[in-house]
Amino acid sequence: MTATRRCLLSACVLGAVATTGHGAEIFLEPIGASGSHTIVGNQIILDGAGQTVTLEIRVDNWDPVPDIGVCSDLTICSISAQDCTFGTCVGSDGLLNTYQARIDGSGYAGILSPVLLPPTELIDTSNPEFVFLGLASIPAVDTSTINWAYGALVLFANDSPPYGGLDKYGGTLVIDVPAGTVGTFAIDLIDDLNESFLSDSEAITIVPINLTGAVISVACQTNVDCDDGDACTTDICELDNTCTNVPNYDQATFCCDPVNGALTAIDDGNDCTDDVCNPDGTVDHPFLTAGSLCGDPANSQCDNPDTCDGAGTCLTNLEPAGTACGDAAESECDHADTCDGTGACATNIEPSGTACGDPSDTDCTDPDSCDGVGGCLNHDLPDGVACDDLLFCNVGETCTAGACGGGGQLDCDDGLTCTDDSCNEGAATCDNVLVAGFCLIDGVCYGEGALDPANDCQVCDTAAATDVWSLVLAGEMCDDGNPCTTGDVCDGAGLCEGTVDPNCNDTCGDAVEVFEGVNTGNNSSSSPVDDGEASCQIDSNNDVWFRYTATCDGVVHFTTTGSQFRSASDAPDCQDTGTCTNDTVLNIFDLCPADGGGELACDDDGGPGLLSALEIFLTSGQEYLIRVAGFEDAVGDIVLNVVPVNDCVIDGVCYAEDAVNPANECESCRPDISALAWSSRLSGTA
């Protein structure tokens, strides 16, 4: 059986519907009121309170079955059909013989003093519509409670209600609606087969049975008329004189105390408690059962939906750190995904630069490393980049796909025709083997017997040595390179000596080259015609010329110390010693006078006795012309000393004063001792 709900302050009906059999209806019908009113269906609308309302119980719309009778031959017959074979059909007790209805007093909520008024016999037996089974009266029920019961019997067939379905009277309710009452109220029949039912003549319950209550509405005049006594509502008398009592607070947010209107927040902010608003305005927060959803509903591999623990706490239900999730693929740069313990699925990608793959570190590839997005980079150098495959005899290698290769044979040719050239991989060297019959001196090939181009007194003698010159025997002819000498022969010690031609360097154009140290000459046979004059002594004659290329940038000391007359007879003023110092005049030019040269320095008697001496700053690599002459008619042997000042010229190399011998730390340049050779350093020098 399904039922409709009962509404306390609005017009509504409570009824029951059976699913089988024939049925009927019990309803309350408004009949009238003691004052101005309107009846619409089952609702009576009072224009004001302080009235009495009369309602009648009505029974109607049953689905009667034919009366069942017995024929004289005891066969069953139907009164409606009169189908007896013998005699007439005598009807049984008829259709509806009893009913009961209870009125639900809860529908009076809001009526200040609901009472039922006399008479005490609530079923008015004088009502022409009331039918009963020969009883003089039906006593009234107890009126001390809010619920009332009514009952009656109907007559047999001839007195049964007609089959047309007209409603019949079942009792009268007189209800007092006290002054001050306003609103709409429902008076309902109790929806229960034990409380409201109909029975046929066989005491069989008639189903389905429909129950319909009555509605009493009292029109309001002012808002005060609509006061429901609830501090939590705003009471409004609408334009149609009906009351509305609208909550004056946010019911979704607060719970209201109907006595004083105090508001209490419903939500305690805890997803794991229920928020219960009690009628008295208080709020309870019972714990939700364990497993109830709360918080974040997200559901992922690492973050399950939040649930309550049953004690008021919302659990995040995060998967522990390290739980597998996402991509399970595993590589050096991209490990399997795992939960990070905070609900996220971490990719576990190695940082950029992390070592992976091939660790080789060569000319053509650097160690592989992760790219920061899960890949492994091989870092191969571009093809064609030069590299070294560590083979000494292989050159020109290039990178191809990260490997070093290719190239060609190392060229070990030393450019010398006197060597056999090959590459020695094992020793990692170029082998340049001297061919038999050759000398290799200072990087130049010389055949057997070849003379030193710089010294005819040195020869390639492979039997003696192949890397240095060997000495030519004494007496062998040679050329000392001095055009002023004749009959040059080797002295057996590597020197080529010849007889000096005294007239060889008579002119500046035939100047003899001189070097640092002692150089000799003679002006006895020189031409009386001179190539130039000395600014420091205009009476200088019988000149001879020398040329000198400066080895160093610096001051050079020139003297004629050692020059002598031929004999005392050549110089009348000489003493009886038989020899005397030659009276020389010395001057220096940048070019020959005939070529426009200018005099750079000049001295007559600056040396010991009548000898000459001067110092001049010269530039390394520059050639200078030196003129030596005799005062008036002075002639004889000439000695030209060339000494760098504060420098040494050793083996043709210029060294500054105090420079240490690269081959012997205990020797140094000491011009005060010798400007042409290494001198010993002081004892105890580190």
Side-chain angles (χ1 to χ4, degrees):
M1 180 178 289
T2 60
T4 59
R5 288 181 184 263
R6 193 165 46 243
C7 299
L8 298 183
L9 298 180
S10 63
C12 66
V13 176
L14 178 66
V17 178
T19 59
T20 61
H22 56 281
E25 179 179 12
I26 303 176
F27 63 94
L28 295 176
E29 180 178 354
I31 298 301
S34 60
S36 177
H37 67 277
T38 303
I39 297 175
V40 180
N42 69 329
Q43 181 179 17
I44 183 169
I45 303 171
L46 305 180
D47 292 339
Q51 300 189 49
T52 58
V53 176
T54 301
L55 305 176
E56 287 186 352
I57 301 172
R58 292 283 177 162
V59 179
D60 196 3
N61 290 329
W62 62 78
D63 184 13
V65 297
D67 289 341
I68 302 300
V70 179
C71 298
S72 59
D73 58 2
L74 301 180
T75 59
I76 303 300
C77 61
S78 170
I79 295 176
S80 63
Q82 294 294 316
D83 51 2
C84 293
T85 304
F86 300 99
T88 60
C89 180
V90 179
S92 64
D93 48 355
L95 300 172
L96 181 67
N97 70 354
T98 187
Y99 76 91
Q100 177 173 302
R102 283 190 179 275
I103 309 303
D104 188 351
S106 64
Y108 298 116
I111 298 179
L112 299 179
S113 301
V115 295
L116 294 177
L117 300 179
T120 57
E121 294 181 358
L122 300 180
I123 299 178
D124 181 5
T125 57
S126 65
N127 188 305
E129 296 183 46
F130 179 68
V131 292
F132 58 95
L133 185 59
L135 298 177
S137 65
I138 300 291
V141 296
D142 182 5
T143 60
S144 63
T145 67
I146 61 173
N147 293 337
W148 297 269
Y150 303 93
L153 295 176
V154 298
L155 298 176
F156 286 100
N158 293 334
D159 297 320
S160 297
Y163 295 134
L166 296 176
D167 54 299
K168 291 300 178 181
Y169 174 79
T172 300
L173 281 74
V174 181
I175 299 175
D176 180 25
V177 181
T181 301
V182 68
T184 297
F185 312 95
I187 297 90
D188 293 327
L189 298 165
I190 298 176
D191 184 16
D192 189 304
L193 286 177
N194 294 320
E195 303 291 343
S196 299
F197 61 87
L198 296 172
S199 298
D200 65 13
S201 60
E202 302 295 331
I204 297 174
T205 301
I206 297 173
V207 292
I209 182 172
N210 294 326
L211 302 176
T212 302
V215 177
I216 301 174
S217 295
V218 183
C220 63
Q221 303 301 319
T222 66
N223 290 344
V224 175
D225 294 340
C226 296
D227 185 4
D228 59 359
D230 188 342
C232 298
T233 61
T234 298
D235 307 315
I236 303 172
C237 180
E238 304 290 353
L239 295 177
D240 61 356
N241 299 111
T242 61
C243 289
T244 56
N245 304 98
V246 181
N248 56 17
Y249 64 99
D250 184 358
Q251 293 177 292
T253 305
F254 298 101
C255 188
C256 183
D257 184 343
V259 175
N260 55 28
L263 299 180
T264 302
I266 297 175
D267 189 359
D268 63 355
N270 187 344
D271 287 349
C272 287
T273 61
D274 194 6
D275 303 314
V276 179
C277 181
N278 298 316
D280 63 357
T282 60
V283 180
D284 292 332
H285 303 285
F287 295 142
L288 295 182
T289 58
S292 299
L293 293 178
C294 61
D296 186 359
N299 189 8
S300 67
Q301 289 178 299
C302 295
D303 186 3
N304 301 309
D306 298 351
T307 57
C308 299
D309 65 354
T313 299
C314 186
L315 305 176
T316 58
N317 297 324
L318 300 176
E319 291 291 342
T323 302
C325 63
D327 187 358
E330 178 74 28
S331 68
E332 286 184 286
C333 295
D334 186 3
H335 304 298
D337 298 350
T338 57
C339 298
D340 65 1
T342 65
C345 186
T347 58
N348 297 323
I349 293 175
E350 290 289 348
S352 177
T354 302
C356 63
D358 186 357
S360 300
D361 188 2
T362 67
D363 285 354
C364 293
T365 184
D366 294 325
D368 296 352
S369 65
C370 298
D371 61 5
V373 294
C376 186
L377 302 177
N378 61 22
H379 298 303
D380 289 346
L381 271 65
D383 290 353
V385 173
C387 60
D388 184 0
D389 62 3
L390 303 181
L391 294 176
F392 178 78
C393 293
N394 191 33
V395 294
E397 308 97 307
T398 58
C399 295
T400 303
C404 186
Q409 185 69 20
L410 176 65
D411 183 6
C412 286
D413 186 2
D414 59 3
L416 300 174
T417 58
C418 60
T419 59
D420 286 333
D421 306 320
S422 64
C423 184
N424 186 333
E425 184 66 44
T429 60
C430 275
D431 291 343
N432 306 104
V433 181
L434 186 64
V435 177
F438 284 90
C439 292
L440 181 57
I441 302 173
D442 296 330
V444 180
C445 292
Y446 298 96
E448 179 73 34
L451 296 177
D452 181 356
N455 187 349
D456 288 348
C457 292
Q458 297 186 123
V459 65
C460 168
D461 183 356
T462 59
T466 59
D467 57 347
V468 295
W469 294 109
S470 300
L471 298 176
V472 174
L473 296 176
E476 294 289 333
M477 294 183 63
C478 62
D479 182 2
D480 64 1
N482 187 347
C484 293
T485 60
T486 59
D488 300 340
V489 294
C490 295
D491 65 355
L495 294 178
C496 182
E497 295 180 339
T499 302
V500 177
D501 180 359
N503 297 314
C504 178
N505 56 344
D506 186 40
T507 64
C508 182
D510 294 326
V512 175
E513 185 176 14
V514 295
F515 303 92
E516 290 83 4
V518 178
N519 302 273
T520 61
N522 190 283
N523 68 339
S524 297
S525 301
S526 63
S527 169
V529 179
D530 300 324
D531 290 346
E533 292 293 342
S535 63
C536 57
Q537 178 54 264
I538 61 173
D539 192 8
S540 56
N541 306 295
N542 303 306
D543 56 7
V544 292
W545 290 84
F546 303 92
R547 55 188 175 87
Y548 168 68
T549 301
T551 304
C552 311
D553 284 340
V555 177
V556 179
H557 186 56
F558 293 91
T559 70
T560 58
T561 301
S563 299
Q564 295 180 339
F565 289 127
R566 285 288 184 183
S567 64
S569 60
D570 295 327
D573 57 343
C574 285
Q575 300 176 358
D576 294 337
T577 58
T579 62
C580 63
T581 302
N582 196 345
D583 187 358
T584 60
V585 177
L586 174 66
N587 53 336
I588 300 175
F589 295 82
D590 54 0
L591 290 173
C592 289
D595 296 328
E599 183 184 68
L600 301 178
C602 181
D603 181 72
D604 182 12
D605 298 328
L610 300 176
L611 299 176
S612 304
L614 61 81
E615 290 183 352
I616 184 174
F617 184 90
L618 302 182
T619 301
S620 174
Q622 179 68 44
E623 183 179 76
Y624 298 91
L625 282 304
I626 304 168
R627 174 179 180 270
V628 181
F631 175 67
E632 294 182 345
D633 296 327
V635 296
D637 294 329
I638 293 176
V639 175
L640 178 61
N641 303 287
V642 181
V643 180
V645 178
N646 298 326
D647 286 303
C648 297
V649 180
I650 303 173
D651 296 330
V653 179
C654 183
Y655 295 94
E657 185 177 11
D658 295 327
V660 177
N661 182 358
N664 185 350
E665 289 187 288
C666 289
E667 293 180 331
S668 65
C669 168
R670 297 181 63 183
D672 57 327
I673 298 176
S674 173
L676 304 177
W678 296 109
S679 302
S680 296
R681 301 177 73 184
L682 297 177
S683 176
T685 301

